[in-house]
Amino acid sequence: KFKFRLETLLNYRENEQRKALKDLEEVAFFIENLSEEINNIELEQESIEEEFKEASKKINPEGLQDFLSYLNYLRGKLSKKQEDRMRFQNILVQKQKVVLKARKKTKVLENLKNKQFTQWEEIKEKQERAFLDELSLTRYAKNQMDYKRKLL
């Protein structure tokens, strides 16, 4: 039976790769959520700006100040979320590099394993051919001896 001597290292590297992929997926999911939050804030901001335009004609200055305060709050919140998204996008790039590096390390061992397995198969096939050749020769020799005995 074929036994790869570095199987435990290969398993370790595969686990590292799975963990790196999981981390990458988590960051991507977080970025997706941040993008949705940003989109929702932008929609709310547009809605408030529309209301502000309509209300500016009818509401007193104190009411307008409330609108402006809320708009400033939304702008600040939007800016913070966009900064967070940029930061996490940078983290995502780093995680992608980690995944790529882990994949390369795993691939090297997988290729080595495949190469060794192919060599092992070739050796086994060679041994089987030698055995069958020896068996054929033995049968031939036995048949020759039996034939000679019949002649005598």
Side-chain angles (χ1 to χ4, degrees):
K1 183 180 177 187
F2 176 71
K3 178 87 169 127
F4 183 54
R5 292 181 316 157
L6 300 174
E7 190 71 39
T8 54
L9 180 59
L10 177 60
N11 291 338
Y12 174 75
R13 296 255 170 98
E14 287 172 343
N15 285 337
E16 276 186 334
Q17 183 181 342
R18 279 192 289 274
K19 184 184 180 304
L21 274 171
K22 184 179 179 219
D23 291 347
L24 178 69
E25 289 170 358
E26 287 175 0
V27 172
F29 181 73
F30 192 75
I31 289 172
E32 188 178 317
N33 286 341
L34 276 174
S35 295
E36 285 180 27
E37 288 179 31
I38 288 170
N39 190 36
N40 290 339
I41 291 170
E42 287 172 341
L43 291 174
E44 186 176 357
Q45 184 177 349
E46 288 174 14
S47 171
I48 295 298
E49 286 173 352
E50 280 297 315
E51 287 181 37
F52 177 74
K53 286 178 185 175
E54 294 295 320
S56 64
K57 300 171 188 170
K58 305 171 187 172
I59 296 182
N60 61 14
E62 293 165 356
L64 292 177
Q65 186 60 38
D66 290 341
F67 268 112
L68 288 175
S69 294
Y70 187 63
L71 275 175
N72 286 335
Y73 164 77
L74 286 177
R75 286 182 185 129
K77 188 175 178 181
L78 180 63
S79 175
K80 170 83 171 81
K81 294 289 183 183
Q82 288 171 333
E83 288 172 11
D84 287 347
R85 182 172 59 183
M86 287 295 288
R87 189 166 38 88
F88 278 99
Q89 285 174 334
N90 290 334
I91 291 171
L92 182 72
V93 169
Q94 296 302 315
K95 296 289 184 183
Q96 288 171 333
K97 289 178 183 177
V98 169
V99 167
L100 184 61
K101 189 175 179 181
R103 180 68 194 133
K104 284 180 182 178
K105 287 180 177 182
T106 303
K107 192 69 176 163
V108 166
L109 286 176
E110 287 173 347
N111 289 341
L112 180 62
K113 181 179 181 178
N114 289 337
K115 183 178 178 182
Q116 286 182 1
F117 180 73
T118 302
Q119 289 172 344
W120 177 82
E121 280 183 321
E122 289 171 359
I123 290 170
K124 285 302 261 183
E125 188 176 308
K126 199 175 194 180
Q127 288 172 345
E128 286 176 14
R129 261 188 270 121
F131 175 75
L132 291 174
D133 289 346
E134 186 177 328
L135 187 63
S136 297
L137 284 173
T138 304
R139 281 189 180 169
Y140 177 75
K142 182 182 179 225
N143 288 341
Q144 287 297 322
M145 288 176 69
D146 288 344
Y147 178 72
K148 287 181 182 179
R149 281 190 200 144
K150 287 181 183 178
L151 287 179
L152 295 176

